[in-house]
Amino acid sequence: MLKQLQSKSYVFVGGYLLTAVLGLTGCDSTPSEPTSDNTNTPETTAQPVASEEKISAGEQANADFQDKLSGQALLNALKQGGHVIYFRHTQTEKDYADQLKAEMGDCSTQRMLSETGWKQARTIGEGFRKSAIPFDKVISSQYCRAWQTADLAFGKYEKNADLNFPKAEDYTPEQTAEMKAQLTPMLTTVPTKGTNTVIVGHDDLFEAATGIYPDPQGMAYVVKPDGKGSFQLIANMLPEEWEKLE
């Protein structure tokens, strides 16, 4: 959705986000029939394939975010431990609000990881192993797309209902405050010495706690708790960047 700095590739123009109705996932789309070159056919006005829409404050914050550490400096910091790494689950087959019908024990009622999502999760895990980034706890929401991302990437996870979002598509201020209250303690808890804590959750909770909407799916933010109830955002990472971290 958004322009990302450095290697993130999104297009943000004049305060507006340019989105194209192209490349939709799923198996419902079929190729359109080719049109014949018939000069007797009346001309038709081409329909636009792109539209402009104003982005939210959280999306703007995601677009504007600049890493405080990157490359070798970031890797060295992660190897020393003391960070919370918050992942938005990797790519799903479709992107829609499923919380109204989702049953936690039934993956068929939820959005599921796509083949790309499976590959992204494995890529993240391979990056951690290649760079020997230490981690202890891996905490996941109860949604299938979150714990499956954690399992594919890290081989373990513990589910925590505090990482679930309310059963509503449009959140009230009270619900947003509740999500912030649920996630903030996890972001401010200092990990076991010499390790990092991994959280695999969703976009709305992270936005509620930080003001940043993490996009696209698979985006991670590296958080540094200060041990005094606060934290600093250090960097954001796309799935493929973990293998290139050096």
Side-chain angles (χ1 to χ4, degrees):
M1 288 174 60
L2 304 174
K3 173 184 174 184
Q4 292 294 323
L5 299 178
Q6 301 157 4
S7 64
K8 289 78 170 176
S9 56
Y10 297 88
V11 180
F12 183 74
V13 182
Y16 290 87
L17 179 68
L18 192 64
T19 57
V21 186
L22 297 172
L24 298 177
T25 58
C27 302
D28 297 333
S29 59
T30 55
S32 58
E33 292 293 331
T35 57
S36 61
D37 185 13
N38 188 335
T39 56
N40 294 324
T41 302
E43 292 185 1
T44 58
T45 302
Q47 296 299 314
V49 296
S51 62
E52 291 183 349
E53 62 181 45
K54 194 161 186 175
I55 67 174
S56 70
E59 292 169 332
Q60 185 66 63
N62 186 59
D64 291 342
F65 181 82
Q66 297 189 43
D67 294 338
K68 294 175 176 60
L69 293 175
S70 61
Q72 188 64 53
L74 176 59
L75 179 57
N76 290 342
L78 289 171
K79 284 187 171 184
Q80 292 173 11
H83 298 82
V84 177
I85 307 168
Y86 186 98
F87 285 89
R88 182 184 177 187
H89 60 80
T90 54
Q91 184 76 42
T92 55
E93 293 177 348
K94 295 181 181 180
D95 190 356
Y96 64 93
D98 63 348
Q99 54 264 42
L100 295 181
K101 68 173 186 177
E103 299 293 337
M104 292 301 102
D106 186 354
C107 292
S108 68
T109 65
Q110 306 173 31
R111 285 162 48 192
M112 297 298 295
L113 294 183
S114 65
E115 184 177 350
T116 296
W118 283 61
K119 291 178 180 178
Q120 288 175 332
R122 291 190 178 109
T123 296
I124 291 166
E126 184 57 34
F128 270 68
R129 287 185 287 275
K130 175 183 175 183
S131 297
I133 298 172
F135 61 91
D136 183 13
K137 290 184 178 180
V138 179
I139 310 169
S140 165
S141 88
Q142 294 177 315
Y143 281 84
C144 296
R145 56 186 176 274
W147 62 257
Q148 287 176 352
T149 297
D151 190 37
L152 287 164
F154 305 106
K156 67 176 185 177
Y157 58 90
E158 57 182 82
K159 296 179 185 178
N160 190 320
D162 283 345
L163 290 171
N164 299 344
F165 36 77
K167 284 188 173 293
E169 292 187 23
D170 297 313
Y171 301 120
T172 65
E174 292 75 19
Q175 287 172 321
T176 300
E178 179 184 358
M179 288 190 287
K180 180 178 181 179
Q182 290 172 189
L183 180 58
T184 298
M186 299 186 200
L187 298 180
T188 57
T189 298
V190 178
T192 303
K193 186 175 181 180
T195 68
N196 301 288
T197 297
V198 174
I199 299 174
V200 184
H202 305 273
D203 46 16
D204 294 325
L205 275 89
F206 192 79
E207 183 176 19
T210 67
I212 295 177
Y213 181 85
D215 195 67
Q217 296 173 84
M219 172 70 80
Y221 271 85
V222 178
V223 181
K224 178 70 173 178
D226 65 3
K228 302 176 182 179
S230 189
F231 59 82
Q232 184 180 29
L233 299 178
I234 301 300
N236 64 13
M237 298 279 288
L238 292 169
E240 61 272 17
E241 292 180 317
W242 290 102
E243 283 192 314
K244 303 173 183 176
L245 189 59
E246 60 184 10

